[in-house]
Amino acid sequence: MVRVDRTRSLAERLPAALYLSTGALVLSSTSLTAQEPAEVTAGSHAVALEELAVQGAGSGTRLLAPTPYTAAAAGLNLTTPNRSGSRLDLSPLQTPASIEVIPGQKIRERGQETVQEAITQNAAGITTIGAPGNGLGAYTSRGFAGVNSVMQLYDGTRLYVGAGTITYPFDTWNVDRIEVLRGPASVLYGDGAIGGVINVVPKKPVAVPINAARAALGSDGVKRLAIDSGGPIGENVFYRLNVSANQANGWLRQNGDFSNLAVSGAVLYQATPDLAFTLSHDYGYQEPLRYFGTPLIGGRIDPRTRFNNYNVDDSRIVFEDNWTQFKTEWTPTADITIRNTAYRLKSDRHWRNVETYTFVPSTGLIRRTNPIEIFHNQEQIGNRFDAAFKGEVFGFRNEFVAGFDVNHIKFSHTNNSPYRGETSVNPFVFSPGVFSSLDLTTLGYATSSDQYSLFAENRLVLTEQFSLIAGVRYDAPTVRRSDPRTPSAGFTKDFSALSYRFGAVYSPTPDSSLYASYATAVDPVNSLITLSLAQKDFELSTGEQIEIGYKQLFWEGRGEFTLAGYRITKDNLLTADPLRPAVSIQVGSQSSHGVEAFASLGLWENWRVEGNIALVHAQYDDFQQAVGSAAVNFAGNQPISVPARVANLWLSWAFAPRWEARAGVQFVGETFSDFANTVRRPAYEVVNASVDYRVSETSHFSVRAYNLLDKVYPVTGSSVSWLLGRPRSVEVAYNVAF
């Protein structure tokens, strides 16, 4: 806890609901070496006026808040409250689950320009299986893979997955923090979270004026420009605006360019000391890399094809996303907090590409198939409400929250299915050609979905060392599908699911906790709002997890450590009927068990090391698929794209005045591309490094090297092609606060 100076009143300077934002705890101007400006923000964690303090003098003066309300750029933030692991604003130390808080400042210091990089290079056990064509928004966690098992939120709001695609957020400039919850989270957010939840929280309005900018140039024609501005625009009105634009020629010889623009703005009106309204809008425009993989020749990547893109010359990918939210927070008493969030999410997407490339040994050519043109139009309108109460039950301290969540989602899928057409090109020297399809692009289907849920969570504090936490959620989605091509394929389907969690936390010391929990979860058999006629009679897949863990701060806060062990089972998977291999039945099962560890150590004043490791044994327990005319049982095999080992290691060293160096290693173990585990993708490690030089107290230069050893590695892939990670590249950036 930061020492609070009560000798100076702030009543005339700040509304009661203002607090320090993530990563902004700055004690003096000299601590701005390569950091971001201090921020005092308004948001969900209200801090009473007497808990704020002013320390220091002159240009070095900064407003301080108690450390429980801030997320430091270094360390694991075990004492930082969050809403991803619990709706009770508990810290990771108080939560019976594996929850990480990754500050935006740490993300930007490490040169992680995309949300995907920030998650996979910082969070324990999370890997990506996404491609530029689906927005890079697909991950694996604890043995489960894909957008239907690892849920993604933006500022606490879930975007329903349309045909396996999520395209926002993608840029880290406006990120205040990323909260990662590993393990089942349906009790908090509904179906589609058996592997975990990733919540990207944007920067919030600030009470103290801040301005920051960044410009960067790099290899492959990379150009970046960004600005961050915030402050008061009236006595009780505060704002935040972030704009980031990126453009590059790309590392591929053909069609390797990409560009994007992200704009995030918010205005907070503090109507009274206990009532605040926030209106925010986020806009994202992307023309991502039009790359769908490199074909394997002889089962490997031929060095001559590493930089080739086999897509057509007039290929196109465009994503446009708009998110509008209106939040109300009212705290009528110190023990009651009422929150409401109304929102509208709109996504428009367009693809026109040839997406499958296969080397044919008999001809020595690359066969290009699946000329695909698709349009997505998706709109989600919803409202989330909850009320939290603090009091006593039978003489014990108690915290309780209850609420509801309602959504209406419209989705249309326009395409040229069945995507017929084929061309062949020389693997090494070729003309990309133009898009050509035998099929017209027309409306394929449209869905209209309604969802409502009720949820509640309770924490009973039996002693200062022991607490019990329980939660429950009931979901009832309805999906209506129309198919203009085949009207008989239309249907209406109602689902329902009950999820719950029980946990206990024991704290032998104020800086440590032991916990155990049991949680249930549900996953859809496909993206729920794009359910097909063949899947309408299937129920939601069900799962459960048992987890135990230990969390510890030590060395007077310079060290933090977490350790967790778990077992997850998932039932009602789709498998082939042994008697009718062409027919799917819902009797399959899958399981995983593993261990995860995370440590952060401030070894000396100018050294820090952070690392995590995840070991998981995942397998199909009862899983049959049609192979030819027979049903083959793949029980005991490792699930597709799920690695058994994942690790990250980061080292930072302030080796001289005004200088700081960082290096990170990301390791992902071997994976398989088929159910039979015969098509292997090799393990890989990627090394990134950077050096910062502080030009002045408010500005610094950065030189960053990505994939320093120029490793050729597959991010994801199939039996015929691999999606390769980017080769070695270098960027120079200048950051300034003013």
Side-chain angles (χ1 to χ4, degrees):
M1 181 74 72
V2 173
R3 180 180 61 83
V4 176
D5 181 358
R6 302 180 186 274
T7 62
R8 186 174 178 184
S9 172
L10 299 178
E12 297 179 355
R13 299 183 57 187
L14 293 173
L18 295 185
Y19 76 107
L20 266 177
S21 78
T22 300
L25 185 63
V26 181
L27 298 179
S28 68
S29 60
T30 58
S31 65
L32 290 169
T33 55
Q35 313 298 316
E36 298 174 357
E39 303 171 4
V40 178
T41 73
S44 61
H45 304 304
V47 179
L49 286 177
E50 60 268 21
E51 290 297 312
L52 293 170
V54 174
Q55 294 186 2
S59 62
T61 298
R62 290 294 184 269
L63 292 166
L64 298 182
T67 52
Y69 294 96
T70 67
L76 307 186
N77 288 285
L78 294 181
T79 59
T80 302
N82 68 88
R83 300 209 81 205
S84 297
S86 167
R87 296 187 185 275
L88 294 169
D89 294 338
L90 303 180
S91 71
L93 208 61
Q94 299 168 318
T95 306
S98 295
I99 179 77
E100 294 174 31
V101 179
I102 309 170
Q105 182 178 333
K106 177 188 292 184
I107 291 168
R108 289 180 285 275
E109 285 177 350
R110 293 177 175 177
Q112 295 154 350
E113 301 290 348
T114 69
V115 169
Q116 179 204 52
E117 291 173 339
I119 294 166
T120 58
Q121 294 176 19
N122 293 313
I126 309 292
T127 65
T128 178
I129 56 172
N134 68 1
L136 298 172
Y139 301 92
T140 72
S141 175
R142 291 195 168 180
F144 297 89
V147 291
N148 296 316
S149 292
V150 183
M151 184 184 292
Q152 293 166 71
L153 314 174
Y154 184 68
D155 203 14
T157 297
R158 171 188 178 184
L159 176 63
Y160 277 78
V161 180
T165 304
I166 292 179
T167 52
Y168 194 86
F170 55 88
D171 192 282
T172 60
W173 176 255
N174 80 321
V175 171
D176 181 77
R177 64 190 181 276
I178 297 178
E179 299 172 350
V180 179
L181 171 65
R182 297 187 303 280
S186 294
V187 69
L188 294 168
Y189 303 107
D191 62 272
I194 195 169
V197 163
I198 296 166
N199 182 21
V200 178
V201 181
K203 296 174 182 176
K204 304 297 184 182
V206 292
V208 175
I210 65 165
N211 292 284
R214 179 197 64 191
L217 295 173
S219 53
D220 305 319
V222 168
K223 296 179 283 291
R224 306 186 191 277
L225 187 63
I227 189 167
D228 176 11
S229 180
I233 53 177
E235 183 178 356
N236 296 312
V237 182
F238 311 89
Y239 82 97
R240 193 64 174 271
L241 176 65
N242 279 267
V243 181
S244 177
N246 303 277
Q247 186 178 32
N249 298 328
W251 55 273
L252 295 164
R253 294 190 184 103
Q254 306 89 7
N255 303 315
D257 57 305
F258 64 87
S259 60
N260 57 55
L261 171 68
V263 181
S264 176
V267 175
L268 181 143
Y269 171 52
Q270 191 75 41
T272 68
D274 53 21
L275 178 63
F277 302 97
T278 304
L279 177 65
S280 64
H281 184 79
D282 295 88
Y283 172 78
Y285 180 86
Q286 298 182 71
E287 293 186 17
L289 191 66
R290 294 160 289 160
Y291 170 62
F292 291 87
T294 300
L296 301 176
I297 299 178
R300 62 182 181 86
I301 296 295
D302 189 306
R304 295 172 292 176
T305 67
R306 180 186 182 188
F307 299 99
N308 285 349
N309 186 354
Y310 294 91
N311 206 342
V312 293
D313 228 2
D314 58 344
S315 57
R316 183 166 175 79
I317 306 177
V318 177
F319 304 142
E320 189 170 16
D321 296 273
N322 285 275
W323 299 51
T324 303
Q325 297 190 91
F326 182 70
K327 295 185 175 183
T328 302
E329 183 172 338
W330 181 39
T331 309
T333 73
D335 295 328
I336 300 175
T337 300
I338 296 174
R339 301 181 177 97
N340 191 82
T341 301
Y343 49 88
R344 176 181 182 267
L345 316 177
K346 185 75 168 64
S347 295
D348 296 295
R349 310 175 185 120
H350 179 209
W351 295 262
R352 186 181 64 217
N353 307 277
V354 176
E355 298 189 2
T356 304
Y357 322 119
T358 306
F359 177 72
V360 182
S362 61
T363 65
L365 301 177
I366 303 296
R367 184 176 69 227
R368 304 187 302 179
T369 56
N370 288 334
I372 291 176
E373 182 167 44
I374 296 175
F375 293 86
H376 284 184
N377 299 104
Q378 182 173 344
E379 181 183 44
Q380 177 181 335
I381 299 174
N383 192 87
R384 183 175 60 256
F385 170 90
D386 66 70
F389 306 89
K390 296 180 181 179
E392 289 188 354
V393 173
F394 302 118
F396 298 107
R397 183 156 54 95
N398 193 75
E399 300 171 46
F400 175 76
V401 62
F404 66 84
D405 194 349
V406 293
N407 286 280
H408 175 69
I409 309 107
K410 294 190 297 183
F411 181 86
S412 66
H413 192 280
T414 301
N415 58 61
N416 64 328
S417 178
Y419 313 123
R420 296 175 299 167
E422 179 180 318
T423 59
S424 295
V425 297
N426 186 290
F428 313 113
V429 181
F430 62 93
S431 173
V434 296
F435 183 85
S436 178
S437 173
L438 300 175
D439 308 292
L440 295 176
T441 301
T442 60
L443 178 63
Y445 63 89
T447 66
S448 175
S449 305
D450 293 297
Q451 179 269 347
Y452 74 85
S453 64
L454 302 172
F455 54 82
E457 188 176 2
N458 193 82
R459 178 176 185 244
L460 182 64
V461 182
L462 298 177
T463 71
E464 289 300 316
Q465 294 178 308
F466 187 68
S467 61
L468 299 175
I469 297 173
V472 63
R473 180 182 175 109
Y474 175 76
D475 288 276
T478 298
V479 180
R480 293 172 292 274
R481 175 171 171 142
S482 61
D483 192 327
R485 295 174 182 167
T486 310
S488 60
F491 63 85
T492 297
K493 173 69 174 182
D494 295 321
F495 295 90
S496 64
L498 182 69
S499 305
Y500 48 90
R501 177 176 72 177
F502 303 101
V505 179
Y506 172 67
S507 300
T509 70
D511 293 332
S512 64
S513 66
L514 288 160
Y515 69 89
S517 66
Y518 171 82
T520 65
V522 290
D523 277 358
V525 296
N526 197 354
S527 299
L528 196 61
I529 67 172
T530 52
L531 203 66
S532 68
L533 177 65
Q535 299 163 336
K536 79 174 184 67
D537 292 326
F538 297 126
E539 299 299 323
L540 299 173
S541 298
T542 59
E544 61 181 8
Q545 173 187 264
I546 296 174
E547 179 176 349
I548 58 174
Y550 179 70
K551 305 171 186 179
Q552 173 77 60
L553 284 82
F554 55 95
W555 287 356
E556 298 180 341
R558 291 185 292 115
E560 295 176 90
F561 173 76
T562 67
L563 178 67
Y566 63 88
R567 176 172 173 79
I568 304 175
T569 59
K570 180 179 178 179
D571 299 316
N572 300 325
L573 273 66
L574 298 185
T575 71
D577 187 334
L579 302 178
R580 299 172 298 165
V583 177
S584 293
I585 56 177
Q586 197 174 18
V587 296
S589 60
Q590 178 181 341
S591 66
S592 68
H593 60 269
V595 176
E596 298 163 344
F598 205 143
S600 177
L601 302 173
L603 299 177
W604 297 279
E605 184 178 352
N606 57 346
W607 284 86
R608 175 167 289 274
V609 59
E610 291 187 1
N612 57 65
I613 186 169
L615 306 176
V616 57
H617 176 78
Q619 67 177 33
Y620 298 116
D621 297 313
D622 182 5
F623 189 69
Q624 301 182 94
Q625 292 294 294
V627 178
S629 59
V632 178
N633 195 333
F634 296 108
N637 287 2
Q638 190 170 318
I640 289 177
S641 298
V642 173
R645 295 173 295 160
V646 180
N648 290 291
L649 179 65
W650 281 93
L651 179 67
S652 61
W653 177 30
F655 59 91
R658 297 179 177 267
W659 291 89
E660 185 166 7
R662 298 180 184 86
V665 181
Q666 178 189 19
F667 172 81
V668 177
E670 180 184 68
T671 57
F672 297 97
S673 298
D674 66 332
F675 297 125
N677 289 179
T678 59
V679 181
R680 298 174 181 267
R681 295 200 306 273
Y684 64 86
E685 58 283 329
V686 179
V687 178
N688 301 311
S690 66
V691 176
D692 289 347
Y693 172 69
R694 176 166 52 90
V695 180
S696 68
E697 299 300 328
T698 57
S699 65
H700 66 275
F701 270 110
S702 299
V703 179
R704 295 167 179 158
Y706 302 93
N707 193 1
L708 184 63
L709 304 181
D710 202 24
K711 180 79 171 182
V712 180
Y713 64 98
V715 176
T716 185
S718 66
S719 60
V720 297
S721 67
W722 287 349
L723 187 83
L724 300 179
R726 65 173 168 175
R728 180 169 49 223
S729 59
V730 178
E731 291 186 20
V732 177
Y734 178 66
N735 289 263
V736 60
F738 54 95

